[in-house]
């Protein structure tokens, strides 16, 4: 059964508002009735058992008992990705949410699928947010990746450059660049820049290198853009876990 | 531009048959005309430049020159996965093909989405094969994962058990099982068993353990089935590359 996020702290009696889409899920999909119990994630990250109370539009949740105070594990990874077909971007948002990725910036690059910023409308960004929210419930998380409106490369390089401790990686296809493993070092946070289909232009690559992005190869394999981003996320998570065990 | 797989060795003059769907792609999407050149992967794994020759139904390809004799890198991973929603399985087939996964077996488990073997028809398996073939072109591969018709757990355990050198892993959610990194050892090939939504039943887990599958945790994160399978594929590929560099 999914864990439902509670967005605002419950009142003194433990009551909290249930988002309309969660209410629909609880009543129509899970067929909960007033008095039935379900699990929630409170805004502080702890899990709790809650009860459905009231009728119709006045239905609310009420916290019965806290189950754990375990904070979620997030992956301190910022993905900058050239615009790809929207259905592939939707998919990446879902998977990035499952993996706890921190931030996802769709980028307007010269070879991207969309030349104009207008072509990813606010509606489409809202759609991505909604996918992330749905995924949170499935994977028992409370925080979804921050999803930026499409930005140009210069903005992404500038913003990601503000955090000097973040290791910045430029994923390259079939290149002679160093393999991922060799450039990870001791960083605790990463940014990866992934080209659209067709890759970054030579000029964009040199801009990225000047901004501190290290070219890195994922091996001989040619991956689609969204697969490369997810591969990097899984490999970084695996690497981070291995390091934590070792330390 | 995609690389088109050539299924049968070219004749003495270098001519080869082009599959109807590739012909459509070449002429309608890429708008190639007789005399135009395109890239192919020959059955021996080498890449070659080819020319489109002839008209209408008599169009064939002709090898002009070999470009490389590089064999593709495959990931010796066999994924056994409880049945999930078909669109998610389609997605996994695409990603597994990109990553060069060896074999994918949809499994009939007690908590799977489909109770009856009939519900994944031959048509659906053909659809998965087609997705794999399309993906090969995009990612410049020649070999797609072997996709089995749905089988029961006992068959999967028996078949995967025939290769004693293959390391067998049972992916568990939020378990106290050992982390992936710790159980990889020196194996050069792996099988992973991933439950459907809801996981394996306790009985299925104990069958898997008896058959030599080691329970392993991917960390605190709760992942959808297909994401867990892909995470394992990316992490194993990363691990394998790191080991090869080290050796």
């Amino acid at each position: 059964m999914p864990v439902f996020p509670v967005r605002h702290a419950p009142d003194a009696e433990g009551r909290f508002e249930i988002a309309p889409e969660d209410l629909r899920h609880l009543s129509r999909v899970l067929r909960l009735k007033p008095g039935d119990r379900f699990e929630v994630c409170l805004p502080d990250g702890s899990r709790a058992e809650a009860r459905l109370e009231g009728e119709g539009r006045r239905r609310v949740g009420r916290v019965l008992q806290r189950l754990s105070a375990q904070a979620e594990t997030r992956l301190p990874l910022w993905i900058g990705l050239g615009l790809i077909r929207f259905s592939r971007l939707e998919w990446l948002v879902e998977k990035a949410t499952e993996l706890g990725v921190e931030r996802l910036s769709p980028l307007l690059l010269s070879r991207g699928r969309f030349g104009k910023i207008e072509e990813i409308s606010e509606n489409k960004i809202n759609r991505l947010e909604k996918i992330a929210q749905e995924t949170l419930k499935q994977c028992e998380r409370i925080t979804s990746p921050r999803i930026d409106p499409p930005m140009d490369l210069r903005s992404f390089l500038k913003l990601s450059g503000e955090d000097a401790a973040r290791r910045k990686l430029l994923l390259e296809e079939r290149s002679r660049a160093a393999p991922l493993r060799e450039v990870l070092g001791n960083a605790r946070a990463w940014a990866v820049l992934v080209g659209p289909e067709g890759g970054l232009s030579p000029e964009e690559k040199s801009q990225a290198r000047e901004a501190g992005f290290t070219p890195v190869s994922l091996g001989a394999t040619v991956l689609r853009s969204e697969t490369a981003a997810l591969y990097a996320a899984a490999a970084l998570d695996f690497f981070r876990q291995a390091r934590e065990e070792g330390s």
Side-chain angles (χ1 to χ4, degrees), chain A:
Chain A
M1 182 158 152
V3 174
F4 293 84
V6 174
R7 311 231 196 281
H8 305 288
D11 70 14
E13 282 155 347
R15 288 195 199 87
F16 57 88
E17 202 185 319
I18 306 173
E21 66 271 22
D22 291 347
L23 209 43
R24 269 196 299 277
H25 193 149
L26 286 165
S27 59
R28 296 196 193 159
V29 181
L30 302 171
R31 300 182 181 280
L32 259 62
K33 292 182 187 56
D36 286 344
R37 293 170 182 213
F38 60 103
E39 211 172 312
V40 293
C41 240
L42 298 173
D44 66 1
S46 63
R47 303 261 290 277
E49 190 184 31
R51 186 169 61 200
L52 191 62
E53 297 194 339
E55 293 283 345
R57 290 191 179 184
R58 281 179 301 179
R59 282 172 297 184
V60 293
R62 185 173 198 155
V63 172
L64 298 175
Q65 57 171 330
R66 302 234 166 183
L67 298 173
S68 76
Q70 196 183 12
E72 62 176 351
T73 313
R74 303 202 69 208
L75 181 64
L77 170 64
W78 185 352
I79 297 171
L81 180 89
L83 280 176
I84 51 175
R85 204 192 299 171
F86 193 71
S87 60
R88 295 184 175 277
L89 195 55
E90 289 181 323
W91 169 84
L92 180 61
V93 164
E94 179 184 298
K95 298 309 171 204
T97 306
E98 288 180 56
L99 287 167
V101 165
E102 180 187 334
R103 188 167 177 178
L104 178 65
S105 306
L107 302 180
L108 300 158
L109 300 172
S110 58
R111 297 186 188 150
R113 195 170 170 86
F114 301 86
K116 295 179 195 162
I117 200 159
E118 290 80 1
E119 294 188 55
I120 280 215
S121 61
E122 204 174 310
N123 262 349
K124 282 194 164 170
I125 295 290
N126 289 345
R127 164 100 190 113
L128 296 179
E129 293 284 1
K130 205 175 160 193
I131 288 170
Q133 291 302 321
E134 283 301 308
T135 306
L136 288 182
K137 274 182 265 176
Q138 289 292 332
C139 63
E140 307 182 9
R141 288 189 170 276
I142 44 168
T143 321
S144 58
R146 171 170 171 183
I147 301 170
D148 293 305
M151 63 173 81
D152 60 23
L153 182 61
R154 210 164 284 276
S155 309
F156 174 71
L157 296 177
K158 187 166 178 296
L159 286 172
S160 59
E162 284 167 8
D163 179 0
R166 192 183 284 275
R167 190 84 171 98
K168 294 168 199 80
L169 306 170
L170 164 61
L171 301 193
E172 295 206 332
E173 225 176 50
R174 277 188 303 176
S175 75
R176 293 177 190 279
L180 184 58
R181 177 71 186 78
E182 280 181 14
V183 299
L184 289 177
N186 294 316
R188 303 267 155 192
W190 302 274
V192 296
L193 171 55
V194 189
E197 252 190 86
L200 294 167
S201 72
E203 197 181 318
E204 286 165 342
K205 280 187 194 173
S206 77
Q207 279 177 39
R209 280 195 300 266
E210 279 163 32
F213 276 76
T214 305
V216 59
S217 159
L218 298 184
T221 308
V222 176
L223 301 174
R224 284 190 166 105
S225 303
E226 76 280 8
T227 317
L230 193 77
Y231 181 109
L236 287 169
D237 189 64
F238 175 76
F239 171 77
R240 180 183 62 164
Q241 286 191 38
R243 185 173 59 190
E244 280 164 16
E245 285 155 40
S247 67

